[in-house]
Amino acid sequence: MARFMTAGLRTYPGYHRKSAVSLDKLGRARLAAWVQSDSYSNKTDADVIINYAKAHDITDLYLLVAYPGTPNLLMGYAGSCNTHLWGTTADGSYMFDYMVRNCAPLGIRCHAWWCMMFWSWYGDTSKTFMNTPLSDTYKDLTSYSATDGYNWKMFDATARTTVVNVLWDFAHNNRMCEGVQLDYIRTNGNSTAHTTTDITNLVGDVRTKMPDRHISVCSIGTVPNGKINDRQDVVDFVSHKYVDSVAFMGYFWCFARKLELANQFNYGTGGVEVYWGQSAEPYRTNPSDVAHNTRWIQQRGWKNFALFDMYSTHFRAAEYANYVDGININCNLETYGDIADITKISHVNGTSWTVTIGGSDYTTLYSAVTDHTEAGYLKDHVEGVEGARGPMMYVRLGDTTTYITAGDWYP
Amino acid sequence: MTTLFNCTFENNRLYDPTPHPPGNGADMVSVSGGTVEVAAAAAHDGSYGVKFTPTQGYRAWMMMACGGLRKLRQRFWIHPNSLSIATGNSFRICRNGHYDASWVAYDIGLGYASSSYYIYWNIYNGTYSSTQANGSSNINITNAWHRIETYYQTGSPGSMELWLDGVSQGSVSATNPDALVNLPALGVAGGPGFTISGSFYVDSWQANDDGTLIGA
């Protein structure tokens, strides 16, 4: 574990210091994972996450934040932001703090994962699920979506101050936390009230408020939709030195987006860590596809990966329906051969594909995931995996013996 | 002129997964229903082309990753072959294949009416839009190989001109300065909303980013 020595450790209390060196500069890879709040809402589940991260050389955890029962709650995924899921353990400790304190000695950086754009969430126009400090005055009426509710007025400096103070307050009370991850740092597709400058200013305000913390963002890149339509100019974030890392959401089930991003971005420069956001969803398609996709991205020079959707029940059915037809078919390189040898793809019965490689047909199937938490999924599917050391990090997914691989973690 | 891609499929493979410059196969093949396969029968040039067997309601298409393009000139050969389309129906065979289903930019359709196959094309408004700005009239084609070439441009106005077998069929326009093309797609680019059977062929799909004539 010597390679963790320079990253993620800090002195406390009272003083905060970002990791001194970006491992990216040393050519080493990082592996991050997003964790829902209900996956670390108790010590049993939290320990599974921590042990899994330790065993599989995860370097960063983005922990979804829901602040317990106060007006400081900004937002959370529907069903995950109720205070009981955030949870206070029997001994009175907060689970976010528990995660950070147990990960720090392992050199695993914990980030507070915030979802930024929502005034309301998933059609909840009355903010039933949220206790945001933002009043109705700051509701972006142009952004209304029947499925997503409203964004807030990120162009409003007073509103930004309120929100940024919430982030700061949380970080201040969790001083070992590496920093914040700003997810949905954009408008939705409906909003006409913002410019890219407004979003950039929000990121800048976070940076100004927390100059000593790691600021990371999730980005959909500068494809036209990301920059022009959703007002997110990630290049602007980087050029202003507002961010320390960017996770580009290449996804998995959206191969088209992956192609766009892979052809537009490679490594960050100027010390910015760049991650490929990879969905590890096992149930939408064959888990071996994740392995191949990872390798495909590595071929294009990406080294750092960030995994999400190890379970997928938080996705709305409508989203799933929209993206099912974007699923691409790849094949496990070890088992079947190379994607370059595919001559035929058929999808006939709605539940499986047949892929022809070298004259032989291979049928891929969905595998179902029923447990709703990363911890539960890991307990069911990861314990018992043979080995996780050496140059290849792999995770057994689903009921098969196929793996995702995160490539060479060592220079 | 920069050739963006030149898919000949002569290596008898659907994919060419190495990064651009151009290779023999597609960057991506996405099959939600039906079948996509390289086939000798689908060859217009050389030994292989691509055979599409659609099924009602699902896409099955090839895409090329090109980044944000303000100009796209592309050419492909198409043969309706045995495709059976109930008269009066059509489906998309070509469009900007953005991950968002509504980001169309342009499309080309293939249909059947009055005992003949036909094609048409459309250009779409603005950014992030599925609102058709202007479309062509239907242009009859025979059940044989045909060369389709298009030149799409963004602007105020932007435009898209189409040539069928080397002859211009006109141009349609729209105000679309931000409707960049990032994923040119070809095949069953829109799920047919009707019963469909049989297959059609595609071959020799080539594109550039400055509008230079590609031709045969």
Side-chain angles (χ1 to χ4, degrees):
Chain A
M1 307 295 273
R3 62 192 181 91
F4 292 122
M5 286 174 59
T6 58
L9 300 180
R10 53 181 48 199
T11 59
Y12 56 89
Y15 293 93
H16 320 291
R17 178 169 51 83
K18 289 186 290 188
S19 301
V21 177
S22 165
L23 292 186
D24 195 52
K25 288 184 176 179
L26 300 178
R28 294 174 175 170
R30 302 195 74 96
L31 177 63
W34 279 275
V35 183
Q36 299 284 335
S37 54
D38 56 0
S39 283
Y40 67 100
S41 59
N42 61 79
K43 288 185 177 179
T44 301
D45 285 351
D47 286 344
V48 171
I49 298 287
I50 295 167
N51 290 333
Y52 172 82
K54 176 183 177 182
H56 296 285
D57 294 339
I58 287 178
T59 60
D60 295 78
L61 292 174
Y62 304 124
L63 304 173
L64 185 66
V65 172
Y67 210 86
T70 77
N72 285 338
L73 175 70
L74 184 60
M75 74 87 64
Y77 288 108
S80 296
C81 54
N82 298 317
T83 54
H84 77 277
L85 289 175
W86 167 255
T88 302
T89 62
D91 65 2
S93 60
Y94 289 117
M95 292 311 303
F96 185 92
D97 179 73
Y98 181 86
M99 291 293 294
V100 173
R101 288 183 177 278
N102 285 279
C103 286
L106 303 174
I108 298 171
R109 308 188 303 188
C110 287
H111 310 255
W113 168 25
W114 298 91
C115 297
M116 296 299 292
M117 77 179 185
F118 296 96
W119 177 92
S120 61
W121 183 255
Y122 288 151
D124 174 28
T125 57
S126 62
K127 295 194 293 183
T128 302
F129 291 131
M130 298 166 52
N131 196 10
T132 172
L134 295 173
S135 73
D136 289 6
T137 301
Y138 300 110
K139 185 164 59 176
D140 175 5
L141 297 177
T142 72
S143 68
Y144 176 71
S145 162
T147 54
D148 293 346
Y150 294 96
N151 297 173
W152 57 281
K153 295 177 179 177
M154 288 176 274
F155 58 79
D156 188 289
T158 301
R160 287 203 304 272
T161 298
T162 303
V163 170
V164 172
N165 282 342
V166 170
L167 270 59
W168 179 87
D169 181 73
F170 186 86
H172 184 70
N173 288 318
N174 290 277
R175 299 188 179 190
M176 295 168 61
C177 165
E178 184 75 10
V180 296
Q181 155 127 135
L182 308 179
D183 196 359
Y184 290 95
I185 185 70
R186 56 177 176 89
T187 64
N188 68 12
N190 297 331
S191 175
T192 57
H194 292 80
T195 66
T196 57
T197 301
D198 296 323
I199 308 303
T200 301
N201 285 343
L202 175 57
V203 181
D205 287 353
V206 175
R207 166 63 84 201
T208 300
K209 189 71 176 179
M210 291 184 276
D212 57 346
R213 295 299 183 95
H214 186 115
I215 310 298
S216 66
V217 294
C218 298
S219 173
I220 56 178
T222 60
V223 298
N225 194 47
K227 179 176 180 178
I228 297 172
N229 195 70
D230 293 347
R231 307 299 185 262
Q232 179 192 91
D233 188 345
V234 67
V235 174
D236 213 19
F237 301 168
V238 172
S239 66
H240 280 85
K241 301 188 188 303
Y242 289 162
V243 297
D244 298 292
S245 67
V246 180
F248 288 100
M249 306 312 294
Y251 296 108
F252 164 60
W253 36 261
C254 199
F255 196 20
R257 175 182 283 179
K258 181 174 85 174
L259 292 180
E260 294 176 288
L261 291 178
N263 280 288
Q264 292 193 24
F265 290 100
N266 203 307
Y267 291 95
T269 58
V272 175
E273 301 171 8
V274 174
Y275 294 73
W276 185 267
Q278 171 88 23
S279 170
E281 292 173 280
Y283 95 99
R284 294 189 185 189
T285 187
N286 192 307
S288 64
D289 293 353
V290 180
H292 175 74
N293 280 333
T294 306
R295 192 161 303 179
W296 189 93
I297 293 299
Q298 286 177 296
Q299 286 178 340
R300 283 148 179 80
W302 293 71
K303 287 187 179 178
N304 303 323
F305 289 82
L307 304 176
F308 68 100
D309 287 339
M310 287 185 286
Y311 80 105
S312 56
T313 54
H314 73 281
F315 265 88
R316 296 162 290 170
E319 281 190 357
Y320 174 61
N322 285 338
Y323 291 120
V324 161
D325 65 357
I327 291 175
N328 185 44
I329 307 302
N330 298 303
C331 290
N332 180 289
L333 294 179
E334 292 80 22
T335 302
Y336 300 138
D338 198 282
I339 185 176
D341 293 327
I342 294 175
T343 57
K344 179 178 178 180
I345 301 172
S346 288
H347 182 38
V348 179
N349 60 12
T351 61
S352 67
W353 286 274
T354 299
V355 180
T356 304
I357 303 177
S360 298
D361 291 344
Y362 299 92
T363 299
T364 66
L365 300 170
Y366 287 122
S367 58
V369 173
T370 55
D371 195 286
H372 291 188
T373 67
E374 278 92 351
Y377 184 78
L378 294 174
K379 284 185 288 188
D380 290 342
H381 298 287
V382 178
E383 289 181 354
V385 171
E386 296 178 1
R389 305 296 179 182
M392 301 295 281
M393 196 292 288
Y394 59 89
V395 177
R396 182 164 65 91
L397 296 174
D399 296 325
T400 73
T401 57
T402 54
Y403 300 93
I404 65 171
T405 57
D408 296 326
W409 296 110
Y410 303 95
Chain B
M1 180 192 78
T2 301
T3 298
L4 296 169
F5 54 85
N6 184 13
C7 299
T8 64
F9 308 103
E10 287 307 293
N11 60 349
N12 190 21
R13 299 289 188 269
L14 284 175
Y15 286 96
D16 192 336
T18 57
H20 287 184
N24 282 310
D27 281 340
M28 168 197 172
V29 179
S30 179
V31 179
S32 301
T35 300
V36 182
E37 59 190 306
V38 281
H44 174 268
D45 302 308
S47 302
Y48 298 99
V50 179
K51 175 182 176 182
F52 292 88
T53 305
T55 192
Q56 183 174 359
Y58 294 99
R59 294 181 193 148
W61 52 349
M62 307 183 291
M63 284 189 216
M64 305 300 292
C66 293
L69 301 172
R70 298 196 176 280
K71 297 180 179 182
L72 174 69
R73 185 141 188 154
Q74 61 180 323
R75 179 269 283 136
F76 57 90
W77 289 87
I78 187 168
H79 192 314
N81 190 41
S82 59
L83 200 63
S84 176
I85 303 173
T87 192
N89 289 294
S90 66
F91 66 99
R92 283 174 173 154
I93 58 170
C94 185
R95 58 164 281 183
N96 179 36
H98 196 274
Y99 68 85
D100 189 297
S102 65
W103 189 296
V104 183
Y106 65 88
D107 63 13
I108 302 173
L110 172 66
Y112 191 83
S114 304
S115 303
S116 175
Y117 294 104
Y118 64 84
I119 62 168
Y120 60 87
W121 73 101
N122 301 299
I123 194 168
Y124 287 76
N125 278 321
T127 306
Y128 196 71
S129 174
S130 61
T131 304
Q132 178 188 328
N134 280 300
S136 71
S137 54
N138 296 340
I139 301 166
N140 286 342
I141 62 171
T142 60
N143 187 20
W145 281 108
H146 296 282
R147 184 173 92 240
I148 293 179
E149 184 157 343
T150 63
Y151 183 29
Y152 171 88
Q153 302 181 75
T154 62
S156 299
S159 64
M160 179 154 152
E161 185 173 358
L162 183 143
W163 292 261
L164 176 64
D165 298 326
V167 178
S168 176
Q169 303 300 311
S171 180
V172 294
S173 64
T175 301
N176 62 348
D178 294 327
L180 308 188
V181 178
N182 40 28
L183 292 167
L186 182 63
V188 186
F194 47 87
T195 301
I196 190 168
S197 63
S199 304
F200 65 98
Y201 303 144
V202 164
D203 197 8
S204 299
W205 184 28
Q206 184 176 337
N208 65 57
D209 63 355
D210 69 353
T212 303
L213 169 69
I214 301 173

